[in-house]
Structure formats: C-alpha cells, structure tokens
Amino acid sequence: MALFIERRKQYRLPFEDKVIFTDGVRSLTAYASNISKGGLFVTSVEPYPIETKGHIAFFLPGQDKCLSFKAKIVHIVFDRQRCEVDNGMGFMFADVTAEQQAILNGHLEREQDAYLELKKILAAERPNSEEISRCLVGLPSLRRHDLLALRYKVNRICTLFEASPELQSGGPLRQASVS
C-alpha cells in the first residue's frame, strides 16, 4: 500500500468563489475550490500550462475591496477518467504586500475559528439547528450539506488544525486546542 506524502506547506480551506486570472493574453473566469496563505486552487477543464505567470483577482467574504495578486501556476490536475476529481490549477501568490497578507491571514483565522465552533456544536447528539444556522452564515460552502455530511466535512477540515508534528513544521494557520 502506497503512503500519501503531504508536501503542502500551508493548509487549504474551502473557498468557493469566482476568480479572474489573466496571463496578459487570455483571461479566465472560474471558481476557486480552496485557499491558503500562499495560493488557491481554481477548477477548470482547460488549465493553463504549469509555470504560467499572471495576475489573479477575487473577493473574500466580508471584504469590499478586491484582492489582486501576481500569481504563478505551480500545480495542474487534469484527469479525464475520474469525474469525482476536480480538474484545475494550483496558483501560488507572488509579491504579496503586508496588507494583503494580513487580510488573507485574518480571513483564514476567522474561517478556522468558525469551523472549530461548528465542530463543538455538531458534537452534541442533537445539535441546536439555530446555532448551526448561525455558524453557516460564515461558512457558505457548507450550507448545502445535511447533518451527517456536515459532521463529516467539518470534522475532516478540523483535522487540519490538529496536524501531526511532521506537518506542523510547515506552519499551521494557528495552533488550536479542540476538545
């Protein structure tokens, strides 16, 4: 049995919103599926070539200013045989200003806090639906899930915050104690 080796330096959290990428010749409007401190993954059935450089722009929830970064495609997933695999491109942000990084870090920390709070709520045998709804306001990508799927997804994401020591050397978003 082959072991999966995690090579990511930063955790990714779900992020399902429109992004615009241009390499100066062509432009692409697509949806992101996850985001980290250093980049994001965009779904596309026609990915640009690896090492393509350009600019990527998107809005974070609760922000009225668009974030725009220089970006480079560092990873491509293209699998015609498996429809359950999202095809697309992994972008790495470049030349990020301190202000941009602070905005991005703040978003990711709020998301982490929201997931941890929702995990606590869902741990109850009969979770309070009003508390769940309140939490889901800040986590719109989870709204379509029923209780069973919600528990699975939230627990799965929260495992990122409890990573093994080998993975923590890459720098977690923030250490969290989850009970």
Side-chain angles (χ1 to χ4, degrees):
M1 176 164 102
L3 294 175
F4 175 77
I5 298 172
E6 179 62 71
R7 291 181 298 205
R8 294 176 175 169
K9 294 180 182 172
Q10 298 155 335
Y11 297 106
R12 276 103 171 118
L13 290 177
F15 177 68
E16 297 174 356
D17 216 332
K18 285 184 185 173
V19 300
I20 299 171
F21 175 74
T22 182
D23 65 356
V25 177
R26 301 182 299 160
S27 292
L28 168 75
T29 300
Y31 278 93
S33 62
N34 65 51
I35 190 167
S36 73
K37 288 181 178 183
L40 51 78
F41 187 82
V42 174
T43 57
S44 174
V45 292
E46 297 178 16
Y48 285 68
I50 201 155
E51 297 293 324
T52 300
K53 295 178 183 176
H55 288 84
I56 196 161
F58 55 91
F59 285 93
L60 288 174
Q63 296 290 320
D64 33 340
K65 285 178 56 177
C66 177
L67 283 178
S68 178
F69 298 99
K70 285 184 180 177
K72 176 173 80 170
I73 297 171
V74 293
H75 178 70
I76 294 175
V77 176
F78 191 70
D79 189 340
R80 291 180 189 259
Q81 304 301 314
R82 296 177 20 202
C83 64
E84 73 276 5
V85 174
D86 284 336
N87 291 316
M89 306 161 279
F91 288 88
M92 182 175 71
F93 302 142
D95 299 332
V96 180
T97 67
E99 179 185 4
Q100 289 172 318
Q101 194 66 61
I103 292 168
L104 192 54
N105 291 351
H107 167 75
L108 293 168
E109 288 173 5
R110 285 187 299 279
E111 290 266 313
Q112 178 177 342
D113 291 344
Y115 277 107
L116 292 170
E117 180 182 2
L118 187 53
K119 181 179 179 180
K120 287 179 185 176
I121 293 167
L122 294 171
E125 186 176 332
R126 291 188 173 181
N128 182 310
S129 61
E130 289 177 12
E131 288 180 352
I132 292 172
S133 295
R134 180 184 49 77
C135 280
L136 291 179
V137 168
L139 300 168
S141 65
L142 296 177
R143 290 184 191 149
R144 66 182 180 267
H145 297 295
D146 65 12
L147 184 59
L148 183 62
L150 194 58
R151 280 182 166 146
Y152 172 79
K153 185 91 169 164
V154 169
N155 283 329
R156 175 97 194 256
I157 290 167
C158 285
T159 62
L160 296 173
F161 315 135
E162 304 164 351
S164 66
E166 306 87 61
L167 295 179
Q168 287 184 5
S169 64
L173 293 174
R174 231 176 336 133
Q175 293 296 326
S177 95
V178 180
S179 24

